[in-house]
Amino acid sequence: MFLFKADNLFTQQGYEHAVAFSNAAKKIDAVVDVVSVYDASLIMTDDAGTLVITTYREALENGQLRDLAHLEEKFKASDYMGRLLSEDGRLGAFIVKQDTAGRPAERQRVVREVQALAKTNPLVADSEFAGDGYLKYTLDKTTKAELGTILSIAGIGIGLFLFSLFGRLWKTALVLFIAATAVAVAMGIMATLGHNLTVIALALPVMLSVIVVADSLHIIRYWDNAIDTAGADTGVAEVLSETFEATWLPCLTTSVTSAVGFGVFYFSELIPLRDFGVDSFIGILLGYTIMMGGIFLGLYTMTPGALERRGGQHHLSLPDRAADQFLKLDWSVVGHNRPATFSVAIALSIMSVVALVTNAKSESNLLDVFFQPSSELYKAFDRVDKELGGSGVVSMVFMTEEEDYYRQYPPFTDIVKVEQQIGNLRAINSTESYTGPIGDIHTSLVDDGTPYPNNGDQLAQELLFSEWSRSAESRDVLAESVNFTFDSNHLRGYTPNLSSSELEVLVGKIENQLDLVETEALPAPIFTGHSVFFSQLSGYILNTQFVSIALTFCLIFIVLIFEFNFRLAMAGMMACSLPILITMGTIAALGYPFDFATVIIASVTMGLSIDDTIHILHRYQHHLVDEHQSQRASLRQALFIPGRPIVQSTFLFCFGAGVFLSSELVMLQRFATFTMLGLVLALLGAVLLLPSLLSVSFFTKTSVEEAKATA
């Protein structure tokens, strides 16, 4: 939709520019029609008293309208006034209808060609843009533009962090190369499977890169420790073997759980989320393979030279010192304030459940989900709402199995009653159906002061006039409202841009209004159209939210049971589930809706944060059962040995999510904010709540018994 200044629209020059734009736009592939003041349908009787169904432009060219002043007078008295031209006559609209069948590349081509055409036309050169097609085009364009920006920021940030951590250029380069390879493979899989790069899919390359980096970090830190403690006779094979045995299983488990956290969206009914789940599951598992092969190949090359230093590391990096200070503080809390930890966790969990039960809602209106009210696109939609009848449409289809049903008089009067009834609703700016053209035909043929035919004979006669008066070039004025066999009727209610919840309320009000209409045999309507479609997505979003969380929880719990035992698995799931619950409760408590991005926060954050839990449980089980250390010593080792990489990988995950704060899209900004909150809470759950739970005999009973049995 092009919004332009219409001050000169009804001048000769304005007319010529409008006609030139319409003619050229219709020649663009995939453009099916152009609607404007001059292209709108006109029903009138000519000087000879003959009914004419044409367009304003054709009527002017054929002499049925005397001049532009006559055309302007006729148009301003029509129902199109306030929809294609504002009531004050200052804002006009061109609606370019295109059929790209959901193909983003084709849609982008059409929009670019139409925009290029507009720039050469003085009438619309300074247009604003609105409409569903341009909204989707903007999303496609922004997604591609932000992919490069976000990946660049992520790569530079991760590289700087790794160099500050390792102090070695080769380690930094190795990890970055492996992460880039894994991302490239994942994007290749997406392209091979024919999946589009959606806004949701932007999360995959960034989060995959930090997953690979985090696992690489664990392996390299263990390798550093093996090098530092190597004896004089320790060889390359021994160092690599020890590093591999200590890290392959925890890293595999964390990759599997991360893949599960992302992959559960395969079961969503929303195609973008389903594609995201498939791409993520395959990409993360392949990322593990690429990471293990690349890291150990690099370490194999560098181990001989590294063994020459054999003296241990004498200088701790700033990230290491910061992580150590945090872990010391954390250990003091675990050792002395476990009851307070449990009390705070329980209180926050209860508050979160209450917030979710009382305030959880969803949003699927693309304009509200993705764009700030201050954006140019949002302002353009707002102008359409205020001056051109509304940017939203609620469509109702009344279907029957009887041919010519809507040629009959009773159904016609029923549709008239329905329009009048729902037109009383505040959110409905205007309605449109076949009653409008039929009413125009009636007033053109019958001068009795009535707006519509008074009986079945009049209706039948006027429908026949409609069919007889159509020329080969003229449009069928009834085509958008009734089908060829007259067994289905399409009624449209024009609304402002409404949120999903507002649309849901409006549909309910329309149904209530329909119950008040005394109709003879009008079938119940089927609600359809873009607005209704996106409002119905809200239900799918909430359903996806709860199903994905449940599946993630169950599948990860099963993995933990196989990896450890039932009691440790329970402790692990509590430690990583409560932070997610608190994050979701915070979203609800602050009044933010669950949308296409926030719906993935819970499962994605759980899939990432479970890595910390697995590393701690794996180390605790090893020291308690395999090395037969005391529970307290095992717990301390489990916290401090993997603690540094856990804290540092959380920073990496937060940074990976945080790069989306640079996005112009509201949805990605919220995704970044609440994912970072979830990851920070998950870190506290892993290093504070989990050790506190492992201090409770119930959760460690099986492991203690196993340790005693193998002593």
Side-chain angles (χ1 to χ4, degrees), residues 130-322:
D132 289 333
Y134 186 72
L135 174 61
K136 294 174 184 175
Y137 162 79
T138 304
L139 287 176
D140 295 337
K141 181 181 176 182
T142 304
T143 299
K144 285 188 175 181
E146 293 198 344
L147 176 62
T149 302
I150 287 171
L151 286 179
S152 298
I153 295 173
I156 293 171
I158 291 173
L160 292 174
F161 174 77
L162 290 176
F163 185 74
S164 70
L165 179 64
F166 294 137
R168 295 287 189 276
L169 184 60
W170 72 267
K171 290 181 180 178
T172 302
L174 175 63
V175 175
L176 285 178
F177 176 77
I178 292 170
T181 302
V183 169
V185 170
M187 299 302 287
I189 291 170
M190 184 185 301
T192 301
L193 295 176
H195 296 164
N196 294 323
L197 179 64
T198 63
V199 176
I200 297 171
L202 280 179
L204 174 57
V206 176
M207 303 316 289
L208 175 60
S209 64
V210 295
I211 289 171
V212 170
V213 169
D215 283 341
S216 301
L217 182 60
H218 279 281
I219 295 173
I220 290 178
R221 298 317 295 267
Y222 197 96
W223 178 83
D224 283 336
N225 184 67
I227 291 293
D228 290 341
T229 58
D233 299 328
T234 303
V236 173
E238 187 176 347
V239 170
L240 293 178
S241 176
E242 179 184 344
T243 303
F244 181 80
E245 290 177 2
T247 58
W248 78 269
L249 185 56
C251 288
L252 174 61
T253 307
T254 57
S255 294
V256 170
T257 52
S258 296
V260 167
F262 285 71
V264 292
F265 293 103
Y266 170 76
F267 300 99
S268 172
E269 296 183 67
L270 304 178
I271 291 177
L273 285 175
R274 185 183 303 172
D275 292 347
F276 173 74
V278 173
D279 298 334
S280 300
F281 186 81
I282 298 174
I284 291 173
L285 294 183
L286 283 179
Y288 169 79
T289 304
I290 294 169
M291 183 273 302
M292 292 295 290
I295 284 291
F296 278 96
L297 180 61
L299 294 181
Y300 174 78
T301 303
M302 303 304 296
T303 299
L307 281 173
E308 295 179 1
R309 62 185 172 88
R310 297 182 191 272
Q313 184 171 327
H314 302 290
H315 173 72
L316 288 178
S317 66
L318 178 61
D320 284 340
R321 294 198 300 272

Side-chain angles (χ1 to χ4, degrees), residues 652-672:
L652 280 174
F653 289 144
C654 287
F655 176 79
V659 297
F660 291 105
L661 289 172
S662 65
S663 172
E664 298 178 2
L665 302 180
V666 175
M667 187 186 81
L668 291 182
Q669 293 172 2
R670 289 179 184 167
F671 170 78

Side-chain angles (χ1 to χ4, degrees), residues 407-409 412 438 453 455-463:
R407 289 182 181 274
Q408 303 173 43
Y409 188 68
F412 174 80
I438 292 174
N455 52 60
D457 290 338
Q458 275 191 347
L459 176 63
Q461 178 112 18
E462 289 160 12
L463 285 173

Side-chain angles (χ1 to χ4, degrees), residues 255-527:
S255 294
V256 170
T257 52
S258 296
V260 167
F262 285 71
V264 292
F265 293 103
Y266 170 76
F267 300 99
S268 172
E269 296 183 67
L270 304 178
I271 291 177
L273 285 175
R274 185 183 303 172
D275 292 347
F276 173 74
V278 173
D279 298 334
S280 300
F281 186 81
I282 298 174
I284 291 173
L285 294 183
L286 283 179
Y288 169 79
T289 304
I290 294 169
M291 183 273 302
M292 292 295 290
I295 284 291
F296 278 96
L297 180 61
L299 294 181
Y300 174 78
T301 303
M302 303 304 296
T303 299
L307 281 173
E308 295 179 1
R309 62 185 172 88
R310 297 182 191 272
Q313 184 171 327
H314 302 290
H315 173 72
L316 288 178
S317 66
L318 178 61
D320 284 340
R321 294 198 300 272
D324 285 349
Q325 290 300 316
F326 174 78
L327 292 170
K328 288 177 182 177
L329 175 63
D330 178 76
W331 178 250
S332 67
V333 174
V334 171
H336 301 95
N337 296 286
R338 287 197 299 274
T341 300
F342 292 144
S343 298
V344 171
I346 293 171
L348 290 176
S349 299
I350 292 173
M351 292 168 62
S352 299
V353 170
V354 172
L356 285 169
V357 171
T358 59
N359 210 35
K361 58 184 179 182
S362 63
E363 181 58 76
S364 54
N365 180 311
L366 294 184
L367 188 64
D368 293 329
V369 166
F370 290 103
F371 296 96
Q372 295 277 12
S374 59
S375 67
E376 293 301 319
L377 183 62
Y378 204 105
K379 290 178 181 178
F381 270 80
D382 195 45
R383 289 197 72 183
V384 174
D385 290 343
K386 292 178 179 178
E387 301 182 55
L388 294 176
S391 58
V393 180
V394 176
S395 293
M396 290 156 274
V397 178
F398 298 84
M399 297 183 65
T400 70
E401 296 181 356
E402 181 182 339
E403 280 195 17
D404 295 328
Y405 182 79
Y406 289 102
R407 289 182 181 274
Q408 303 173 43
Y409 188 68
F412 174 80
T413 58
D414 287 345
I415 294 294
V416 171
K417 293 176 185 177
V418 167
E419 285 193 78
Q420 292 172 343
Q421 192 69 32
I422 67 174
N424 295 326
L425 295 173
R426 183 178 300 175
I428 300 291
N429 294 334
S430 62
T431 60
E432 184 178 13
S433 76
Y434 81 146
T435 64
I438 292 174
D440 290 341
I441 294 171
H442 176 77
T443 54
S444 298
L445 294 176
V446 181
D447 188 18
D448 62 357
T450 58
Y452 299 110
N454 301 307
N455 52 60
D457 290 338
Q458 275 191 347
L459 176 63
Q461 178 112 18
E462 289 160 12
L463 285 173
L464 283 176
F465 270 116
S466 169
E467 295 170 355
W468 290 341
S469 301
R470 288 179 61 243
S471 67
E473 294 79 19
S474 297
R475 69 184 67 198
D476 185 349
V477 293
L478 302 182
E480 292 188 356
S481 298
V482 287
N483 61 350
F484 183 75
T485 55
F486 278 80
D487 57 11
S488 294
N489 195 299
H490 183 196
L491 190 157
R492 295 172 293 284
Y494 292 94
T495 73
N497 174 57
L498 300 176
S499 69
S500 300
S501 56
E502 289 172 331
L503 274 168
E504 189 175 344
V505 170
L506 176 59
V507 170
K509 288 182 178 179
I510 291 175
E511 291 175 330
N512 291 336
Q513 293 293 94
L514 292 178
D515 291 338
L516 300 176
V517 179
E518 294 183 5
T519 62
E520 295 192 19
L522 197 66
I526 299 171
F527 289 90

Side-chain angles (χ1 to χ4, degrees), residues 9-65:
L9 179 61
F10 294 107
T11 65
Q12 183 62 35
Q13 191 177 47
Y15 167 74
E16 292 173 358
H17 291 322
V19 169
F21 179 79
S22 293
N23 289 343
K26 290 176 182 178
K27 294 178 182 179
I28 296 174
D29 282 345
V31 171
V32 296
D33 197 10
V34 177
V35 180
S36 71
V37 167
Y38 292 114
D39 298 295
S41 299
L42 172 63
I43 299 173
M44 61 176 289
T45 52
D46 60 16
D47 293 338
T50 303
L51 181 70
V52 176
I53 298 179
T54 181
T55 65
Y56 285 88
R57 169 184 169 182
E58 291 170 348
L60 182 65
E61 292 172 350
N62 295 332
Q64 292 151 338
L65 292 174

